[in-house]
Structures are given as structure tokens and as C-alpha cells.
């Protein structure tokens, strides 16, 4: 989105008045707020007029693609930290507001008609725009597109590319191609962002609420595979940002893990794996949290879940080290505030209404904890892929203070970020004002560092902030298995082989990881390569164990219980379930001499049993869990089918690694 309201939808059975409320909610213009500063709000900076451009020009040799992750950090191919200091170059996803002639600038957001391509190409040469990006210190660009743009065969108008005549006659996608090429040639990283289904301004009840709001999930996935393959040979195209601001439509909320057609967790998990296995294994897979659920009316449940659901249900991609989570924050919205003013406004506080301490608490709870808490199944980099505020014409003390406070938190947490937006229009130094760089109809630029933009000092502070640099050591991976509604096979090797337990839901650790924990009920599991790691799966065959064939005489480690035990020299890398019941154990051979044979029984049928300081986090919230120690591996699962039991896991057989 983009400095706009993000509310949508209402509950089934809501009144006609509620329908009217929702359908009348237009995107809030990226302009000055009318709220005044209150107690506990930091005063806006007065140093902006003396700020100088940051000396952080990005050169092509400064980093080596592809990018991956190590714990909470993004790193380049050499293992050096690569901080996403990004901005959004919007326009290709559309600026038309949905009514009136598309040719009339007045019918486009803030009067800025992008012409279905990145904004500003009618006013300035592309090279000048990109040079401006590097001048203000960014190293990467989030480049929105719409699904409609991909299939749009209409050439752009000559007027839309007036300052770039070489683009005349091209389709929007062909212009997008050139923009990608020129950004990456300048040394900038590009993150592809599926912003909307249709080429129009987000947000509202606009058909863009979900990835499948006005198209099928199949179309969405196929369009993504097309785009990823299109730029596969350009190694500075580094990421796939799967969808922008998933939110409620008129009737239904999106959800995180219910297994239906509105399940954003499942849809993003599936597409992320498809991109890595079918199109480009080098890309970062970027998953934004849920932006809004519920009806924005006092007395009705509503709010902005953001990344809070990740704590209890996180993604495990087929390739470890490729997942990045993202979130958006604007001062005029709030954790339970849609951002609307007047109709649709609730009594909930906006982010800019919070004291600095309250703001930090909310930001950490909603998103920043994902990067702050180490050695959890959810630990990953968090990219704040949209934040922004009005510039010269923003007079609200609250809005200004929020921006200063938010920048302080980005610096404090050393977070990756992307400002919204980079490019805007101005006439006589007046206009929308949110962009960092503006051009008028004659091609004259108004920049952040012209001396009269109050944001300059905060931006300089952010770009110049010291943070983690240089090599980042490899870290242990902790991965959740969640076969809640279907197969959850995170192993490339097993995905390529025939179904090893037809009719059951199967869960398998990523290659190179071993199973370390199971839940008593709920079917969840925990994998890791912690301590000595696990040898990569050899070419030898796996074994599916459904009985006690490998329990040696005199070595019954769970007397009276049924046991699924791997043979000596094998470790448990996966399992299958039918309903709640254990179905089979997947045992994988390890190189000779790497697995010990002495073991212990870890019972978890009556409470958690995960040791005094277990790593990996709560991988099965609300359920009893058992977990082997970091220097152990799971060699077996015990369960019972006696009356009152459901054949769910009761104990693990934990053996030492050598």
C-alpha cells in the first residue's frame, strides 16, 4: 500500500450501514494529518535543514549475490551482512483509484498518474532517477507490480515515457524489464513485489484484498513463476515479496493456518516452495504478515495481526536460509486502528498516539520480536518494507514525532527497511509530499536534501546508523513441521520420491536437519541441525518403519507402548499421521560412525519435557511437547492405542550423536 488506509470487509450479517461504511472508505491520502501532539510524544527534530546527503553511494562491487539468511541477518554470497536499505518505486502496480477516466490525472492517487509503469518516467530520465536513489543512500528497491500488468499488451502512452523516449511502444512489462535491468546495472538489489491483482491503487474493497481476491490462486502462482523465471539470470534480482497487505474483503478475513482458501500461511508456504524448487533457488522468499481482520467499528473485533501469528506457526521452506518476514507501519494507522478519519474511525489509538515506550512495546510485539529472539523456529530477518510520512507540508507534531521515534527504533534494532515512496510529483514545490524525490512537469527535481524537508535529519541518521557489518557466522537452523491440514515435506529429496505413506499426512525435516521434538497432540514437530549437525542425506534409501522390527530384545525403552524405532545407524527425519494418530516413522541412514547407540526415554504425555533450557521455541503452542537434547537425535517414537488414547506420541527415544 503506501500511506493509505488498510481496512476492508465486515462480518457476515453486518448491517447495511456497515456496508456503506466499508465501501465508502477511500484510501487516506499521503498528506498531512490533523492530529496534534500529545503527552509523551517526542518533539520533532529541528535539525533537518542542516542535514547533508549520506556518503553511502552503492557500487556494484560492494556485495555479491545471491542473498540468503543466517538467523536474523541477511547475508551475501560471501557471508557478509547485507542490510536492506530500501525504498519503494511504485507505479507499475497502478495509481488509478478505480473510478473515472484512467487518462485523467485527477482520478489517480494524489493526482499522480504513473501510466501503469514506475512513477516519474514521464518527468525525468531513468538514469537520473536511479542516481537519485543512490544519492540518498539506498542499496535496494522494492519494485511493485500487478498481475494485470504482466498480461497487459497495450503499449504505454508516449506521454507516460516522455522523458525516456526509448521506452515508447513498449508494454508495461517491457518497461518493467528495462527498469529492473537499469537498477541492477547500477549495483542496486531489486525485490519483486506482487502488490495488487489489478493495476489500480491499493486499498479498500478494490479486488486486491488477497492474492486470490479477483483471480485464482493458480493464476497467482503461475504469474509468480513466470516473473521469477523471467529474471532468473539477473543475480541482483534477489527477492520475491509474495503479496502486499493481505486483508479482509467484504465478507471474509484472511487467516494464518486454518487450511482454507483464505489461509495466507498455507498459500505463501506453498508458493515459496514452488519458487525455490521450480523457478529460482537463489531468491529470498519474503512473507508479509496479515494487515487487517475484522470490521473497523467500535464493539466489533478488529485489528492488525501483522507478524504476531508467526510466534506459534512459522514457515519452513525447502531451503533453509531463504525466508524473510516483513511488516508495514504508518503513524496514522494503529495496532487496532484502520487509519480512517471520520467514517470508519474507531476509538483505538493510532501508532502516532502512543508514547515512545508504548510504541516500542507494540512494535516489538507485532513484528520485531521475530528478529530479536534467537534460536527459535520463527527466527528470521524482519524487513519493514513500508513506512513513511508526509514531508514539507506535514504540520502534525504527532506525525513528525512518530517518524522520529520509528526511525529511532529501526536504528536501535538494526532493522532492514524500505521507505514508501521514493518518487513523487511536485508543482511549484507543492504536492503529495511523501516521496523522498519529486519531479515537476518540466523535469525539475525537488529532493530530500534541498534544505527545507524536515525528514532529512532523521533519514540521514537512519542511513548512516552503525550496525552489524562484515562476516556473519553460520547459525543452527530450527524448523517447525506443521502437517495440520496436509503434507508438510520440507525435504527436497523426499519431495522428489514417491509417496511413502499414501493417505497419511507426512512431515519431513529439511535436508541436513534431524527431528528433535514432537508434540503429544496437534501433530507438530521440531527439526534442527544444532550442535554437530546432521550429515546430509546420502543417496541410500530411506526406511518407512511401521512396527517394532528394530527394537532389540531386552532394550524395550517404553514398556507397554507401541514403538516405531529406526535401525542402528539411522536417524528419524520425518513422520506421518492419520488424524491425530502416529502412522509411520521415516528413518534415514547416516554415514557410519556418526550416530551413537546409547539412549534415553523422554516422556511428554503428561507435560512438557524439553530440558532446562530448550532451544527452538514453542513449536506446538498449547500442547505437551518432548524434545531431545542438542547433542542427541530421535531414534524412535512411542505411543499407545489403549482405551482413552488416540495413538498420539507419548515418548521419544533420544540417542547421542558421536
Amino acid at each position: 500500500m503506501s500511506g493509505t488506509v488498510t481496512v476492508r470487509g465486515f462480518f457476515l450479517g453486518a448491517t447495511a450501514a456497515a456496508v456503506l461504511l466499508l465501501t465508502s472508505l477511500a484510501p487516506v491520502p499521503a498528506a498531512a494529518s490533523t492530529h496534534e501532539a500529545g503527552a509523551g510524544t517526542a518533539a520533532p527534530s529541528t535539525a533537518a535543514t542542516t542535514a547533508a546527503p549520506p556518503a553511502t553511494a552503492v557500487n556494484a562491487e560492494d556485495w555479491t549475490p545471491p542473498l540468503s539468511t543466517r538467523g536474523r541477518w541477511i547475508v551475501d554470497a560471501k557471508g557478509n551482512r547485507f542490510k536492506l536499505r530500501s525504498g519503494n518505486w511504485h507505479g507499475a502496480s497502478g495509481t488509478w483509484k478505480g473510478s473515472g477516466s484512467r487518462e485523467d490525472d485527477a482520478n489517480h492517487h494524489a493526482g499522480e498518474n504513473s501510466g501503469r509503469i514506475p512513477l516519474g518516467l514521464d518527468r525525468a530520465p531513468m538514469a537520473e532517477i536511479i542516481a537519485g536513489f543512490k544519492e540518498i543512500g539506498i542499496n535496494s528497491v522494492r519494485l511493485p507490480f500487478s498481475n494485470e500488468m504482466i498480461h497487459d499488451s497495450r503499449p504505454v502512452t508516449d506521454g507516460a515515457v516522455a522523458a525516456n523516449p526509448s521506452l515508447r511502444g513498449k508494454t508495461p512489462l517491457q518497461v518493467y524489464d528495462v527498469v529492473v535491468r537499469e537498477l541492477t546495472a547500477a549495483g542496486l538489489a531489486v525485490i519483486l513485489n506482487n502488490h495488487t491483482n489489478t493495476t489500480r491503487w491499493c486499498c479498500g474493497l478494490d479486488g486486491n484484498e488477497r492474492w486470490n481476491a479477483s483471480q485464482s490462486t493458480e493464476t497467482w502462482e503461475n504469474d509468480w513463476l513466470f516473473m521469477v523465471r523471467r529474471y532468473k539470470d539477473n543475480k541482483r534480482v534477489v527477492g520475491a515479496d509474495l503479496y502486499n497487505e493481505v486483508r479482509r474483503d467484504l465478507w471474509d478475513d484472511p487467516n494464518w493456518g486454518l487450511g482454507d482458501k483464505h489461509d495466507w500461511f498455507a498459500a505463501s508456504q506453498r508458493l515459496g516452495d514452488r519458487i525455490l524448487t521450480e523457478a529460482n533457488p537463489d531468491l529470498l522468499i519474503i512473507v508479509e504478515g496479515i494487515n487487517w481482520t475484522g470490521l473497523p467499528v467500535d464493539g466489533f473485533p478488529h485489528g492488525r495481526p501483522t507478524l504476531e501469528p508467526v510466534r506459534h506457526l512459522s514457515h519452513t521452506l525447502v531451503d533453509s536460509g531463504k525466508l524473510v518476514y516483513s511488516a508495514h507501519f504508518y503513524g496514522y494507522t494503529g495496532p487496532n486502528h484502520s487509519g480512517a478519519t471520520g467514517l470508519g474511525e474507531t476509538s483505538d489509538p493510532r501508532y502516532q498516539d502512543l508514547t515512545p515506550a508504548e510504541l516500542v512495546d507494540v512494535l516489538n510485539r507485532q513484528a520485531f520480536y521475530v528478529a530479536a529472539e534467537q534460536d527459535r523456529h520463527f527466527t528470521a530477518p524482519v524487513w519493514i518494507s513500508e513506512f513513511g510520512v508526509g514531508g514539507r507540508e506535514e504540520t502534525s507534531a504527532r506525525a513528525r514525532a512518530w517518524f522520529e521515534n520509528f526511525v529511532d527504533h529501526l536504528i536501535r534494532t538494526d532493522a532492514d527497511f524500505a521507505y514508501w515512496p521514493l518518487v513523487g510529483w511536485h508543482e511549484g514545490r507543492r504536492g503529495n509530499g511523501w516521496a523522498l524525490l519529486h519531479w515537476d512537469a518540466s523535469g525539475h527535481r525537488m529532493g530530500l536534501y534541498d534544505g527545507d524537508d524536515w525528514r532529512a535529519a532523521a533519514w540521514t541518521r537512519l542511513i548512516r546508523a552503525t550496525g552489524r557489518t562484515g562476516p556473519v557466522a553460520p547459525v543452527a537452523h530450527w524448523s517447525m513441521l506443521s502437517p495440520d491440514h496436509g503434507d508438510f515435506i520440507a525435504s527436497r529429496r523426499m519431495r522428489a520420491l514417491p509417496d511413502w505413506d499414501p493417505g497419511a499426512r507426512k512431515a519431513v525435516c529439511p535436508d541436513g536437519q534431524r527431528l528433535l521434538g514432537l508434540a503429544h497432540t496437534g501433530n507438530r514437530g521440531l527439526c534442527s541441525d544444532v550442535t554437530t549437525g546432521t550429515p546430509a542425506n546420502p543417496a541410500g534409501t530411506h526406511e518407512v518403519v511401521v512396527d517394532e522390527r528394530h527394537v532389540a530384545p531386552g532394550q524395550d525403552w517404553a514398556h507397554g507402548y507401541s514403538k516405531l524405532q529406526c535401525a542402528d545407524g539411522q536417524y528419524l527425519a520425518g513422520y506421518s499421521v492419520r488424524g491425530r494418530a502416529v502412522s509411520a516413522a521415516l528413518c534415514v541412514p547416516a554415514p557410519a560412525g556418526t550416530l551413537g547407540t546409547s539412549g534415553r526415554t523422554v516422556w511428554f504425555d503428561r507435560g512438557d519435557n524439553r530440558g532446562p533450557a530448550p532451544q527452538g521455541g514453542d513449536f506446538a503452542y498449547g500442547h505437551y511437547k518432548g524434545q531431545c537434547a542438542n547433542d542427541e537425535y530421535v531414534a524412535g517414537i512411542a505411543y499407545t492405542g489403549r482405551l482413552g488414547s488416540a495413538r498420539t506420541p507419548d515418548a521419544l527415544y533420544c540417542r547421542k550423536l558421536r
Side-chain angles (χ1 to χ4, degrees), residues 253-326:
D253 282 328
N255 67 78
W256 193 273
L258 295 185
D260 60 18
K261 66 180 181 180
H262 301 142
D263 185 346
W264 174 229
F265 168 80
S268 53
Q269 170 74 41
R270 174 181 160 85
L271 177 58
D273 282 341
R274 288 198 69 190
I275 288 172
L276 293 173
T277 57
E278 300 177 34
N280 188 348
D282 289 338
L283 291 184
L284 296 174
I285 302 300
I286 300 167
V287 181
E288 186 180 336
I290 293 177
N291 194 262
W292 188 265
T293 62
L295 178 67
V297 175
D298 285 335
F300 285 77
H302 57 266
R304 195 178 308 278
T306 322
L307 293 175
E308 292 184 65
V310 175
R311 181 177 293 280
H312 300 314
L313 180 59
S314 63
H315 295 73
T316 297
L317 299 174
V318 293
D319 295 326
S320 300
K322 287 298 181 182
L323 175 66
V324 174
Y325 284 113
S326 70

Side-chain angles (χ1 to χ4, degrees), residues 15 136 144 179 182 208 222 234 256 283 341 344 353 394 402 437 446 474 496 513 608 631:
T15 65
I136 62 175
V179 170
E182 295 305 307
N208 295 310
N222 288 340
N234 188 337
W256 193 273
L283 291 184
T341 299
D353 296 330
E394 177 56 81
W402 171 83
L437 301 169
M446 179 177 71
Q513 295 186 36
D608 275 5
D631 60 351

Side-chain angles (χ1 to χ4, degrees), residues 423-501:
V423 177
W425 289 5
H426 83 96
E427 294 300 331
R429 305 184 69 79
R430 301 294 297 273
N432 178 0
W434 277 59
L436 299 180
L437 301 169
H438 298 79
W439 279 266
D440 67 14
S442 300
H444 299 123
R445 195 186 85 171
M446 179 177 71
L448 177 67
Y449 291 108
D450 285 352
D452 59 346
D453 193 323
W454 67 272
R455 300 169 299 177
W459 180 258
T460 302
R461 193 165 78 249
L462 177 60
I463 290 293
R464 289 181 175 175
T466 57
R468 177 73 178 266
T469 60
V472 177
V475 299
H477 299 100
W478 295 91
S479 304
M480 173 189 283
L481 297 180
S482 54
D484 302 8
H485 306 288
D487 284 355
F488 200 99
I489 301 175
S491 163
R492 277 181 174 264
R493 178 176 181 270
M494 295 307 301
R495 287 166 70 98
L497 295 175
D499 191 335
W500 51 272
D501 192 359

Side-chain angles (χ1 to χ4, degrees), residues 37 78 98 127 174 176 189 254 294 343 417 464 466 574 589 592 594 599 604 617 621:
K78 295 181 179 179
Q174 290 170 335
Y176 193 93
L343 189 64
F417 59 85
R464 289 181 175 175
T466 57
T594 58
F604 54 97
Y621 180 74

Side-chain angles (χ1 to χ4, degrees), residues 39-51:
T41 306
S45 170
T46 58
T49 56
T50 61

Side-chain angles (χ1 to χ4, degrees), residues 401-657:
W402 171 83
F403 186 71
E404 299 278 357
N405 292 334
F406 190 77
V407 165
D408 286 345
H409 199 57
L410 291 175
I411 295 171
R412 184 183 304 117
T413 57
D414 198 4
D416 301 81
F417 59 85
Y419 184 87
W420 182 286
L422 287 172
V423 177
W425 289 5
H426 83 96
E427 294 300 331
R429 305 184 69 79
R430 301 294 297 273
N432 178 0
W434 277 59
L436 299 180
L437 301 169
H438 298 79
W439 279 266
D440 67 14
S442 300
H444 299 123
R445 195 186 85 171
M446 179 177 71
L448 177 67
Y449 291 108
D450 285 352
D452 59 346
D453 193 323
W454 67 272
R455 300 169 299 177
W459 180 258
T460 302
R461 193 165 78 249
L462 177 60
I463 290 293
R464 289 181 175 175
T466 57
R468 177 73 178 266
T469 60
V472 177
V475 299
H477 299 100
W478 295 91
S479 304
M480 173 189 283
L481 297 180
S482 54
D484 302 8
H485 306 288
D487 284 355
F488 200 99
I489 301 175
S491 163
R492 277 181 174 264
R493 178 176 181 270
M494 295 307 301
R495 287 166 70 98
L497 295 175
D499 191 335
W500 51 272
D501 192 359
R505 304 194 308 279
K506 294 160 287 293
V508 188
C509 297
D511 296 333
Q513 295 186 36
R514 65 191 187 276
L515 191 71
L516 267 185
L518 274 180
H520 174 54
T521 55
N523 301 135
R524 299 280 177 85
L526 180 69
C527 306
S528 187
D529 56 6
V530 69
T531 311
T532 61
T534 301
N537 289 349
T541 59
H542 60 274
E543 181 181 7
V544 178
V545 176
V546 296
D547 53 32
E548 298 187 358
R549 72 188 73 173
H550 296 306
V551 180
Q555 297 184 16
D556 186 347
W557 50 273
H559 182 69
Y561 284 72
S562 299
K563 292 165 283 292
L564 305 178
Q565 182 176 329
C566 298
D568 291 350
Q570 297 177 339
Y571 61 92
L572 210 143
Y575 56 96
S576 59
V577 295
R578 296 174 187 270
R580 300 170 61 193
V582 176
S583 177
L586 180 70
C587 298
V588 177
T594 58
L595 303 180
T597 56
S598 61
R600 66 187 180 102
T601 304
V602 173
W603 293 96
F604 54 97
D605 56 331
R606 299 182 182 180
D608 275 5
N609 190 354
R610 298 192 292 148
Q615 293 177 295
D618 189 342
F619 60 91
Y621 180 74
H623 300 272
Y624 297 150
K625 293 163 288 292
Q627 186 170 328
C628 296
N630 288 356
D631 60 351
E632 295 177 327
Y633 68 97
V634 176
I637 306 169
Y639 64 90
T640 179
R642 64 174 175 254
L643 186 64
S645 299
R647 295 171 54 92
T648 60
D650 293 309
L652 296 177
Y653 186 34
C654 300
R655 283 178 161 178
K656 287 283 189 180
L657 293 164

